[in-house]
Amino acid sequence: MPFRPPLSHAEPDPRFDPYRERAGVLADQGEPFGVLYLRFDTCWSQRGGHLWWRRWSEPREQVTGYLALHYGGFDDFVEDADTFVEELDDWDRGLFPYRGLILTVKWLDDEGSRRARSDTFGLDASH
């Protein structure tokens, strides 16, 4: 039983493909709210063991969201991708639920998303 999770990746859920490494401009009732960037990775949970041996869950997808807020603040979140399946219809319609608000989101194209990733959030390209 390995100390670290196995070097494998979760099977990507194709429903999330339009949002992988994607940025969007957020607004609240027409007022600028911020910029969002979504990144999808693989994660595991430790199911048992301790010290030098551990048991790991099957790999699954997780979403990391980064938000640069218009007023200068920053927020982020990390959740299992399954948590967002019910929100995909909202994302498709240009809506993004956030902390009790229903924000509008204008998803950026590949180039705009790359610029947001680098310039706004200082992130490297995904692996």
Side-chain angles (χ1 to χ4, degrees), residues 8-118:
S8 61
H9 293 281
E11 187 67 34
D13 185 333
R15 296 175 292 183
F16 290 109
D17 287 350
Y19 307 104
R20 293 179 193 287
E21 301 295 320
R22 185 67 56 198
V25 177
L26 299 170
D28 183 16
Q29 299 178 10
E31 295 296 316
F33 190 85
V35 177
L36 165 72
Y37 186 76
L38 299 177
R39 178 164 274 176
F40 289 73
D41 289 309
T42 297
C43 69
W44 300 260
S45 298
Q46 184 178 337
R47 296 292 187 207
H50 59 285
L51 299 176
W52 63 91
W53 66 273
R54 297 181 180 172
R55 286 192 329 268
W56 299 98
S57 67
E58 290 298 315
R60 63 188 184 281
E61 277 194 296
Q62 78 177 15
V63 180
T64 303
Y66 304 92
L67 288 97
L69 305 174
H70 184 68
Y71 62 81
F74 178 83
D75 199 3
D76 61 359
F77 58 85
V78 178
E79 293 281 343
D80 282 352
D82 292 342
T83 304
F84 293 104
V85 168
E86 292 179 9
E87 292 182 12
L88 280 173
D89 288 338
D90 289 336
W91 294 6
D92 290 342
R93 291 192 320 261
L95 302 174
F96 191 81
Y98 173 73
R99 297 188 183 266
L101 300 172
I102 302 296
L103 304 173
T104 57
V105 58
K106 180 180 183 252
W107 297 106
L108 301 178
D109 62 11
D110 290 344
E111 180 58 31
S113 292
R114 277 192 291 275
R115 274 197 310 273
R117 180 192 70 225
S118 175

